[in-house]
C-alpha cells in the first residue's frame, strides 16, 4: 500500500502543490522583511486566481491571464501599502479587509461576466521538459526522475528561478541590505539616508505580485478552473511556512514542501481508509498548527514588523 502512495506521481504532485505556497510565502518574506505584515495574501491569491481565468478567457492567451493575475496582485499590494505605509493603519485590519473584499468581488464579477461561479479556463499551460517514456522504454530510475522533476508546466521552473533570485536579492545585494534594515530598525535606516517609505512600498508591491502568481497557478495549473473560495486558506498556510522558514526564502521553500507533503497525502488517503474525507482534508491545516506551535518562540520576526514608521522631526 505504501508503494502505491509514495510513488513518483506522489512526489510530482508534492512539487505542484508546493508552488503556490512557495510563491505566496516568498511574498510574505519580502513584505515582512520591510516591516509590513501582509495577511492579505489569502485574498490576493483568491482575486488573482479569478483574474487569471478571466484574463485567459477574454484574451484567449494563458500567459496574458497570468500577467493580468500578477498585475491584479500588485495593485492589491499597492492598496495595502497605501493604507498601512502612507496612512499608517493597522496592518492586520488592512489584510483582513483585503481578504473580505476578495471573497465578495470574485463572486460578484463571476456572476456579472460569466453568470456562474465555476469558470473553466479556456487555455492551459504547456508542459516543459521531457515526455514521460512508456514502461520499458527507459530504466525505472530515469522514468521516475522525469516524472518527478522534468515534466512540469513552465510555472514550476519559473518559481525555482524566483526562489534563487529572491535569496540573492535579500541577502547578497545592497537592496536586500536596505530592505532588512528598514524592517529591523527603520529609524537608523532613515538616518543613513534610506527612504523607508519607498522601500516598504517596493516590498509590498513585490509581495502582491508574487501572491498574484500563486493565485494564477492555483486556477490555471492545479484546477484549470476558478470557483469561489478556491484559495482555501493557502495564503495563511504560506504565512505559516514563512514563519517556520524563519523569514528566509530557502527556509520558506522547505516549510512549503512540508505542507505540500501533508496536502498530497490528504489527497492520496481519500478512499483508501474508512476515515471521513472531511477529517483527511484537515491534515494540512493540523500540520500548520503543529508547525506554528513548534516554531513560535524559536523564530524571531523582523523587529519592526507590524509597526508603522513615524519619521522623527527635529
Amino acid at each position: 500500500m505504501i508503494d502505491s502512495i509514495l510513488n513518483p506521481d506522489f512526489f510530482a504532485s508534492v512539487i505542484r502543490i508546493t508552488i503556490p505556497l512557495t510563491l505566496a510565502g516568498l511574498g510574505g518574506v519580502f513584505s515582512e522583511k520591510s516591516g509590513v505584515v501582509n495577511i492579505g495574501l489569502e485574498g490576493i491569491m483568491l482575486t488573482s486566481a479569478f483574474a487569471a481565468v478571466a484574463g485567459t478567457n477574454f484574451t484567449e492567451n494563458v500567459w496574458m491571464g497570468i500577467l493580468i493575475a500578477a498585475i491584479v496582485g500588485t495593485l492589491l499590494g499597492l492598496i495595502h501599502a497605501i493604507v498601512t505605509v502612507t496612512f499608517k493603519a493597522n496592518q492586520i485590519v488592512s489584510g483582513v479587509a483585503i481578504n473580505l473584499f476578495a471573497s465578495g468581488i470574485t463572486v460578484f464579477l463571476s456572476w456579472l461576466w460569466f453568470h456562474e461561479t465555476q469558470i473553466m479556463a479556456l487555455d492551459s499551460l504547456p508542459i516543459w521538459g521531457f515526455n514521460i517514456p512508456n514502461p520499458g522504454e527507459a530504466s525505472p530510475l530515469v522514468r521516475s526522475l522525469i516524472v518527478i522533476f522534468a515534466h512540469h508546466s513552465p510555472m514550476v521552473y519559473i518559481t525555482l528561478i524566483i526562489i534563487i533570485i529572491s535569496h540573492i536579492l535579500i541577502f547578497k545585494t545592497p537592496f536586500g541590505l536596505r530592505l532588512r534594515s528598514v524592517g529591523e530598525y527603520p529609524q537608523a535606516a532613515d538616518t543613513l539616508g534610506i527612504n523607508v517609505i519607498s522601500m516598504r512600498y517596493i516590498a509590498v508591491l513585490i509581495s502582491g505580485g508574487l501572491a498574484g502568481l500563486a493565485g494564477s497557478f492555483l486556477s490555471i495549473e492545479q484546477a484549470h478552473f476558478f470557483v469561489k473560495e478556491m484559495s482555501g486558506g493557502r495564503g495563511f498556510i504560506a504565512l505559516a511556512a514563512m514563519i517556520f522558514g524563519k523569514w528566509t526564502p530557502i527556509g520558506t521553500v522547505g516549510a512549503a514542501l512540508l505542507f505540500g507533503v501533508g496536502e498530497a497525502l490528504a489527497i492520496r488517503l481519500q478512499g483508501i481508509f474508512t476515515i471521513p474525507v472531511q477529517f483527511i482534508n484537515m491534515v494540512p491545516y493540523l500540520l500548520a498548527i503543529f508547525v506554528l506551535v513548534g516554531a513560535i518562540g524559536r523564530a524571531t520576526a523582523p523587529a519592526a514588523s507590524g509597526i508603522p514608521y513615524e519619521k522623527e522631526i527635529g
Side-chain angles (χ1 to χ4, degrees):
M1 179 178 293
I2 293 178
D3 291 341
S4 65
I5 295 175
L6 302 180
N7 54 33
D9 289 330
F10 169 80
F11 293 105
S13 67
V14 168
I15 292 175
R16 287 192 292 272
I17 291 170
T18 299
I19 296 302
L21 300 178
T22 298
L23 288 169
L26 289 175
V29 170
F30 273 99
S31 184
E32 294 220 12
K33 281 290 185 186
S34 74
V36 179
V37 176
N38 188 2
I39 68 165
L41 292 175
E42 171 76 9
I44 296 175
M45 285 179 69
L46 180 61
T47 310
S48 298
F50 170 78
V53 172
T56 298
N57 291 357
F58 283 137
T59 63
E60 299 181 353
N61 186 313
V62 67
W63 290 106
M64 285 301 297
I66 293 172
L67 177 63
I68 291 170
I71 292 172
V72 168
T74 305
L75 290 175
L76 287 173
L78 176 62
I79 293 172
H80 188 55
I82 292 172
V83 172
T84 58
V85 178
T86 299
F87 294 103
K88 302 177 178 57
N90 186 288
Q91 297 172 8
I92 303 299
V93 173
S94 175
V96 170
I98 289 175
N99 293 337
L100 294 175
F101 168 79
S103 183
I105 193 67
T106 51
V107 173
F108 173 72
L109 292 179
S110 295
W111 280 109
L112 183 66
W113 291 342
F114 301 98
H115 311 294
E116 57 185 342
T117 55
Q118 180 166 323
I119 311 157
M120 298 300 297
L122 300 181
D123 196 6
S124 60
L125 289 168
I127 296 295
W128 282 4
F130 299 99
N131 292 324
I132 300 176
N134 294 320
E137 294 180 349
S139 68
L141 176 61
V142 171
R143 189 175 189 279
S144 298
L145 291 176
I146 290 175
V147 170
I148 296 172
F149 299 110
H151 190 74
H152 292 288
S153 78
M155 286 293 291
V156 173
Y157 306 113
I158 291 172
T159 301
L160 291 176
I161 296 172
I162 291 174
I163 294 166
I164 296 170
I165 292 175
S166 298
H167 177 77
I168 295 173
L169 197 60
I170 292 175
F171 294 108
K172 305 292 182 182
T173 66
F175 170 82
L177 184 61
R178 297 189 189 100
L179 181 74
R180 287 180 282 137
S181 66
V182 301
E184 292 290 345
Y185 198 175
Q187 287 80 9
D190 196 4
T191 304
L192 294 173
I194 298 172
N195 190 323
V196 176
I197 303 299
S198 296
M199 290 303 299
R200 288 190 168 183
Y201 260 86
I202 292 170
V204 180
L205 291 180
I206 294 174
S207 175
L210 290 174
L213 288 177
S216 71
F217 190 90
L218 275 181
S219 59
I220 295 294
E221 172 62 19
Q222 281 194 354
H224 304 294
F225 60 80
F226 170 81
V227 67
K228 66 176 183 178
E229 308 296 348
M230 71 176 301
S231 52
R234 288 180 177 82
F236 300 116
I237 292 179
L239 285 172
M242 175 197 69
I243 296 171
F244 189 54
K246 299 184 183 302
W247 290 266
T248 65
I250 304 300
T252 300
V253 175
L257 273 170
L258 178 64
F259 292 124
V261 169
E263 189 168 343
L265 268 179
I267 294 171
R268 293 279 170 148
L269 292 177
Q270 292 179 15
I272 294 179
F273 298 107
T274 56
I275 302 174
V277 172
Q278 293 82 358
F279 183 83
I280 293 177
N281 287 336
M282 291 166 53
V283 169
Y285 306 101
L286 289 174
L287 191 59
I289 293 172
F290 290 135
V291 162
L292 282 177
V293 169
I296 289 176
R298 288 180 291 172
T300 304
S305 181
I307 303 173
Y309 175 62
E310 294 281 357
K311 188 178 179 65
E312 295 181 359
I313 301 175

